[in-house]
Amino acid sequence: MSYSRLIPAARMKTEIKNAFGKTIFTAEYEAANQLVHNEWFGYQTRGGIIAASNAGLEVIARHRCPHLLNDNTAVLGPWDHAVEWIAQDWTPRAIAAGLTHFAHVVSPESFAALSAQAMASGIAGSFEMRIFSSVPEARTWLRTAR
């Protein structure tokens, strides 16, 4: 499956679409909040996760941003097929790019929440990561983590 990247100049939001033209991921640097805000949508394939995670990592690196708000509330199904890659490949590069705090928002009744727990176990000790059930809670934690 192929993935396309759109970076509209006016909004400075990175967007990843799947081969069917559906948005699966967006990433945007919020200068006022000093964080990168990722949003994930729909079912996630391993290839899509890798493409989107790498695109989001570029945003973190470009701004040397230590705070990531990763919103998975619109994700359908598990994504544990990419947990090992996230732990072994993405995490060391995220740390090198300056990431220190990772707020991960999931819907508690979803299969995606189980994948988030597996990811948290896989990256334990790499940077500070907390799992939340709402974006406002995650934003509050990131604001106090400064």
Side-chain angles (χ1 to χ4, degrees), residues 1-12:
M1 187 175 274
S2 65
Y3 298 90
S4 62
R5 179 184 301 181
L6 303 173
I7 307 173
R11 293 180 57 191
M12 297 303 292

Side-chain angles (χ1 to χ4, degrees), residues 110-139:
S110 74
F111 286 111
L114 297 174
S115 297
Q117 291 292 342
M119 183 183 88
S121 296
I123 63 169
S126 299
F127 43 70
E128 193 161 349
M129 178 184 172
R130 300 234 178 116
I131 298 175
F132 299 92
S133 59
S134 77
V135 170
E137 281 181 293
R139 284 184 181 280

Side-chain angles (χ1 to χ4, degrees), residues 35 69 103-105 132 134-143:
L35 62 85
L69 173 55
H104 192 78
V105 183
F132 299 92
S134 77
V135 170
E137 281 181 293
R139 284 184 181 280
T140 298
W141 177 71
L142 288 172
R143 194 172 28 258

Side-chain angles (χ1 to χ4, degrees), residues 49-65:
I49 290 168
I50 290 171
S53 296
N54 285 332
L57 188 54
E58 288 176 20
V59 178
I60 291 168
R62 184 178 322 122
H63 298 282
R64 292 291 300 166
C65 187

